[in-house]
Amino acid sequence: MLLMERGHAWSRRRVSEPAPTGTTETSQDAGVCFSWFRFPSVCDGYLPKVGRLARLEDFMGKIAVYPGSFDPITFGHVDIVDRALECFDGVILAVAADTPKDALFNVNERVEMAKVALKDKPDVVVESFRGLLVNYVASAKATVILRGLRATSDFEYEFHMASTNKNLNQKIETLFMMANKDYFFVSSRTIKEVASMGGSVKGLVPECVERKLRERFEALRKKK
Ligand code: PNS
């Protein structure tokens, strides 16, 4: 992973590509496998480092970690990523490997589906993490956890999680983004329920997810 600094925009580099000249790469031990390289931001040398603009410049080099189970990823999640990219230079979609036993898809499948769903977004990295989220966020040199909120019913759970994370690491902030009205009712849980009974989830999840759901439930039906 390349070290990140504030005040610069960041762009993703494919892991297979060599490190650009003039950059230093350091290894990380927390399963972080993305790479970024630094290029001068439009702000470099132009904006005075005072007042509001100084804060704006700080914001220019920011990445957000968007964690979740993503079992599976839905268009509601994709929409949050799209809107987060308007506010951040990059988004890491972090798929929790330690999810309850009743997950429909294993972590590799969940990561794979998310990668396909987000393949056209160059400033997004998808990866999995284990253990405490705050440790993962710190290892990614990020300070922002992003979560989507659909309804007030989400709030209590989210409030507890954000408070726990804050207690664990004061430097990490949780930011919430309201779900798009078109996806207010969409959750991975209801998507799975509908798909398990043969209902259509078209327009609510990416095509690759639709296909995977169909295959998985067909296979489960045959097993019975
Ligand atoms: O999509 P989800 O299931 O609501 O996501 C929950 C998730 C994965 C973000 C949360 O369970 C999590 O952060 N797990 C990692 C373990 C951790 O850090 N727990 C302490 C915070 S509650």
Side-chain angles (χ1 to χ4, degrees):
M1 191 180 76
L2 302 176
L3 291 180
M4 290 181 259
E5 298 166 8
R6 281 165 173 251
H8 296 96
W10 293 89
S11 179
R12 187 160 62 105
R13 173 173 66 83
R14 284 182 201 283
V15 181
S16 54
E17 289 170 15
T21 351
T23 60
T24 4
E25 201 157 35
T26 60
S27 63
Q28 286 281 327
D29 57 2
V32 179
C33 60
F34 62 88
S35 296
W36 305 74
F37 72 87
R38 172 184 180 278
F39 63 91
S41 113
V42 285
C43 293
D44 270 0
Y46 294 99
L47 288 181
K49 294 178 193 289
V50 289
R52 231 181 121 235
L53 289 177
R55 289 203 298 275
L56 175 68
E57 194 201 15
D58 271 351
F59 194 64
M60 290 296 290
K62 281 268 185 198
I63 56 167
V65 174
Y66 180 28
S69 304
F70 302 105
D71 182 44
I73 189 165
T74 69
F75 276 143
H77 297 130
V78 174
D79 178 72
I80 295 280
V81 170
D82 278 337
R83 285 157 56 213
L85 287 171
E86 300 290 321
C87 312
F88 294 92
D89 293 305
V91 171
I92 302 174
L93 187 129
V95 181
D98 307 319
T99 42
K101 295 228 173 354
D102 58 1
L104 180 64
F105 297 105
N106 70 35
V107 63
N108 293 335
E109 292 171 317
R110 286 181 275 135
V111 166
E112 207 42 54
M113 281 185 281
K115 278 186 177 169
V116 174
L118 301 168
K119 67 176 188 310
D120 296 333
K121 304 180 199 308
D123 294 327
V124 177
V125 171
V126 177
E127 57 184 25
S128 63
F129 74 98
R130 276 191 191 284
L132 285 178
L133 174 61
V134 287
N135 291 348
Y136 168 79
V137 173
S139 74
K141 303 273 184 276
T143 54
V144 174
I145 294 170
L146 180 69
R147 293 282 291 173
L149 272 185
R150 281 163 310 194
T152 45
S153 52
D154 282 348
F155 183 77
E156 198 172 329
Y157 168 61
E158 294 296 338
F159 181 76
H160 277 122
M161 201 153 69
S163 307
T164 305
N165 287 332
K166 192 72 183 168
N167 189 54
L168 288 165
N169 188 330
Q170 311 279 308
K171 290 186 185 148
I172 295 174
E173 285 299 337
T174 301
L175 298 185
F176 296 103
M177 201 172 257
M178 294 295 289
N180 184 314
K181 66 175 173 39
D182 296 339
Y183 303 117
F184 229 73
F185 61 98
V186 177
S187 74
S188 300
R189 191 175 57 79
T190 51
I191 289 289
K192 284 182 283 190
E193 190 171 322
V194 170
S196 73
M197 295 175 186
S200 169
V201 290
K202 204 173 177 56
L204 304 179
V205 294
E207 264 175 37
C208 65
V209 175
E210 247 187 287
R211 199 173 47 251
K212 265 279 198 185
L213 282 165
R214 224 178 5 251
E215 287 168 6
R216 179 58 43 94
F217 286 119
E218 262 171 35
L220 289 174
R221 247 175 259 131
K222 277 185 193 151
K223 252 190 185 175
K224 276 187 187 169

